[in-house]
Amino acid sequence: MKGKKIKLPLQEEEIKDLKRGDRLLLSGTLYTARDAAHKRLLEALDRGEELPFRIKGQVIYYVGPTPPPPGKVIGSAGPTTSSRMDSLTLPLLERGLKGMIGKGSRSEEVKRALQKHGAFYLAAVGGAGAFLSKKIKSARVVAYEDLGPEAIYQLEVEDFPVVVINDIHGGDLYEEGKARYAREK
Amino acid sequence: MQIIMVEDITRNVARMCCEANMHLGQDVKVALERALTIEESPAGREVLKELLENAEIADKERIPLCQDTGVAVVFVEMGREVIIEGGDPLEAINQGVEKGYQECYLRKSMVGDPLKRINTGTNTPAVIHWEMVPGDKLKITVAPKGGGSENMSTLKVLKPAQGEKGVIDFVVETVREAGANPCPPLVVGVGLGGTFEKAALLAKKALLRPLGQAHSDSYYARLEEVILEKVNSLGIGPQGFGGRITALAVHIEYFAAHIASLPVAVNLNCHASRHVERVFQGVKK
Ligand code: SF4
């Protein structure tokens, strides 16, 4: 498979070189979180508590996997729609979150915040959960186990394929890709 | 009369839930292969290849195609000469859904109340549509429906004067607005006519038609092609990365309408256009 190999956590310098449309193969640690986990993370911040994992420099993957069948580390594990997390994202970027993996476009507010904080937004292929599960080598619950598939997991991934949607320079693949291929009169 | 036992329904519904979630229909595979020959965008082609590989892995390793194994939508067509015995058929279907989602390690994605939002833990209740038809057969279709594409679906009651153009514009706008959210390449289900709720049901039913099969009425077959062409001119492409193939197909179903209204419903489905049907043969009495 083609793509630029990237080790996680990311180095500041590396992010600058990545542009919308780049295909990356990520290896290292990702943290999962979707709606319910985000809500709890924000509640913890409101109460002045520490987050259950060190968020600085990390990448969050928006995913709620299927239960692991016997002998497998995880079930199907593709991205969920990111816009549901838009209103819950800014406080995490302010605390050093460097990247998010999901699918679908982000709000203008999030896009501006990405540039401000030098973070980027990536997409994995929605609906390719079986394929993506093969790139996940281990999964361990780190918080909110009671949320089931919505708990926060620490994943170790190898050559996990993603595409850069929003880079730190304001590029947006969803906008540019559409403009390039549109055939409207 | 044909007698069908509820246990038979439960057992089969469970199997259908598993099969629908792990096995991509041959019609969709053919459509993806065909899309690969048309798609010009390199990023789009990568996506199509990944989806085909995904289907292979899902099949071979018994992993769901997508982690969103959906709401269990179940269509039942019951022949008038069929008798179901041994219990409540609706309960039998729900038990089948619970069993299938448990035994095949599918994700339980149902909350019992839309505002209080506590997961029921069983993926039930199923959404069941029941219809009486002539004959002595029972046909059950299980069509798990993901949230990403369902969330971008739309419905509007147009004025009759808006006609064909109004319908085309509304469908194209729905796909444009949806962008990358419903995981294109899409299958676009369009329900026309009837009432508010009838149009929505028709749109969902339109998703059940095998890809590659045009509408039986040539007027609607042409309209499907016109809309598909327009949708695929939007440039959204596979996963919204830019490209030619935003949708694999547009399917329309219609019904008679009131003189004052033209309801249009657009139910978007992702490539994981999951549906499995079984025809039950009972025991003669
Ligand atoms: S829209 Fe379809 S392919 Fe995308 S996440 Fe939902 S169920 Fe899966």
Side-chain angles (χ1 to χ4, degrees):
Chain A
M1 199 191 309
K2 282 171 286 178
K4 185 169 177 193
K5 289 193 181 258
I6 298 283
K7 285 252 170 305
L8 299 174
L10 288 150
Q11 303 305 313
E12 289 276 344
E13 279 310 303
E14 270 179 310
I15 300 186
K16 285 203 193 103
D17 295 336
L18 300 173
K19 302 239 156 45
R20 44 108 188 86
D22 285 353
R23 198 178 152 82
L24 314 179
L25 298 172
L26 307 178
S27 296
T29 305
L30 294 177
Y31 289 93
T32 73
R34 21 182 301 154
D35 320 41
H38 271 75
K39 226 177 119 208
R40 290 216 191 156
L41 289 174
L42 265 51
E43 282 163 6
L45 290 175
D46 278 348
R47 288 192 300 263
E49 294 168 12
E50 289 282 311
L51 293 179
F53 64 97
R54 229 180 88 83
I55 200 162
K56 204 165 156 38
Q58 299 295 346
V59 175
I60 287 182
Y61 181 21
Y62 300 144
V63 60
T66 58
K72 297 212 157 57
V73 298
I74 200 164
S76 193
T80 192
T81 308
S82 307
S83 60
R84 294 198 316 272
M85 269 58 77
D86 279 347
S87 63
L88 309 168
T89 294
L90 261 49
L92 304 181
L93 287 171
E94 280 157 16
R95 280 164 186 83
L97 176 68
K98 276 294 157 206
M100 291 149 283
I101 306 172
K103 60 155 170 127
S105 56
R106 307 308 304 260
S107 65
E108 290 306 320
E109 191 185 25
V110 169
K111 288 192 225 173
R112 275 195 301 274
L114 287 173
Q115 274 185 271
K116 178 170 166 205
H117 298 288
F120 64 172
Y121 170 56
L122 310 161
V125 171
F131 172 84
L132 292 168
S133 77
K134 306 299 288 176
K135 314 291 176 192
I136 299 170
K137 302 302 165 185
S138 72
R140 180 176 71 85
V141 177
V142 290
Y144 318 139
E145 192 160 9
D146 60 298
L147 294 178
E150 295 211 50
I152 295 186
Y153 286 81
Q154 181 181 333
L155 306 179
E156 295 303 322
V157 300
E158 217 176 278
D159 290 339
F160 188 90
V162 293
V163 172
V164 179
I165 302 295
N166 296 107
D167 58 34
I168 68 163
H169 312 288
D172 184 338
L173 179 67
Y174 288 142
E175 292 302 329
E176 293 171 35
K178 198 163 59 181
R180 188 171 324 140
Y181 290 94
R183 269 180 178 160
E184 284 177 286
K185 281 131 237 151
Chain B
M1 288 308 230
Q2 295 280 344
I3 311 245
I4 291 164
M5 302 303 291
V6 284
E7 297 84 44
D8 205 16
I9 294 178
T10 298
R11 191 161 14 97
N12 276 286
V13 166
R15 275 198 214 139
M16 289 153 83
C17 290
C18 300
E19 196 185 325
N21 273 299
M22 305 209 187
H23 180 76
L24 191 65
Q26 190 56 31
D27 59 330
V28 182
K29 285 189 206 161
V30 169
L32 288 172
E33 296 277 5
R34 198 175 154 261
L36 249 180
T37 66
I38 299 168
E39 185 55 65
E40 297 162 20
S41 124
R45 293 171 52 81
E46 282 300 319
V47 170
L48 297 170
K49 282 189 218 156
E50 204 168 294
L51 293 178
L52 282 162
E53 196 178 336
N54 184 62
E56 247 174 68
I57 294 172
D59 239 342
K60 203 168 62 198
E61 304 212 14
R62 309 269 307 146
I63 305 172
L65 290 158
C66 179
Q67 74 291 338
D68 186 353
T69 49
V71 177
V73 180
V74 180
F75 287 91
V76 184
E77 284 179 21
M78 180 168 161
R80 276 186 250 287
E81 293 148 51
V82 171
I83 298 171
I84 296 175
E85 281 188 356
D88 175 2
L90 294 179
E91 214 170 279
I93 291 172
N94 277 312
Q95 280 171 2
V97 169
E98 175 167 359
K99 186 170 146 69
Y101 274 70
Q102 193 58 39
E103 291 178 355
C104 287
Y105 302 93
L106 305 178
R107 199 180 77 188
K108 288 82 184 168
S109 311
M110 290 300 277
V111 292
D113 176 305
L115 291 178
K116 297 174 199 152
R117 305 201 77 83
I118 309 289
N119 198 306
T120 62
T122 57
N123 215 53
T124 62
V127 173
I128 304 172
H129 304 291
W130 199 282
E131 218 179 319
M132 295 299 283
V133 296
D136 63 355
K137 294 200 174 59
L138 175 74
K139 183 166 118 182
I140 297 185
T141 305
V142 174
K145 186 68 173 70
S149 48
E150 194 73 357
N151 289 358
M152 305 313 291
S153 300
T154 53
L155 193 148
K156 193 167 184 189
V157 183
L158 303 179
K159 294 180 188 72
Q162 288 175 272
E164 192 185 284
K165 178 161 188 311
V167 169
I168 295 171
D169 290 348
F170 183 66
V171 179
V172 173
E173 257 336 284
T174 297
V175 176
R176 187 204 308 274
E177 272 295 305
N181 287 3
C183 300
L186 309 174
V187 179
V188 181
V190 182
L192 288 184
T195 45
F196 184 81
E197 81 287 3
K198 179 77 179 177
L201 189 54
L202 288 170
K204 178 133 282 140
K205 267 196 171 169
L207 299 175
L208 303 180
R209 194 199 310 157
L211 300 186
Q213 188 180 314
H215 200 286
S216 55
D217 177 331
S218 62
Y219 171 78
Y220 283 99
R222 187 198 59 89
L223 188 55
E224 288 177 351
E225 273 181 35
V226 170
I227 299 178
L228 181 63
E229 169 71 31
K230 286 208 186 264
V231 161
N232 282 341
S233 297
L234 290 173
I236 295 169
Q239 295 294 315
F241 297 164
R244 292 276 160 255
I245 307 290
T246 301
L248 299 170
V250 174
H251 290 173
I252 302 174
E253 293 297 327
Y254 69 91
F255 192 78
H258 186 278
I259 46 172
S261 36
L262 171 50
V264 194
V266 185
N267 197 197
L268 297 181
N269 209 357
C270 41
H271 95 285
S273 159
R274 297 162 285 196
H275 48 93
V276 171
E277 60 172 58
R278 282 249 210 297
V279 177
F280 291 70
Q281 207 73 46
V283 187
K284 257 218 155 50
K285 191 163 111 177

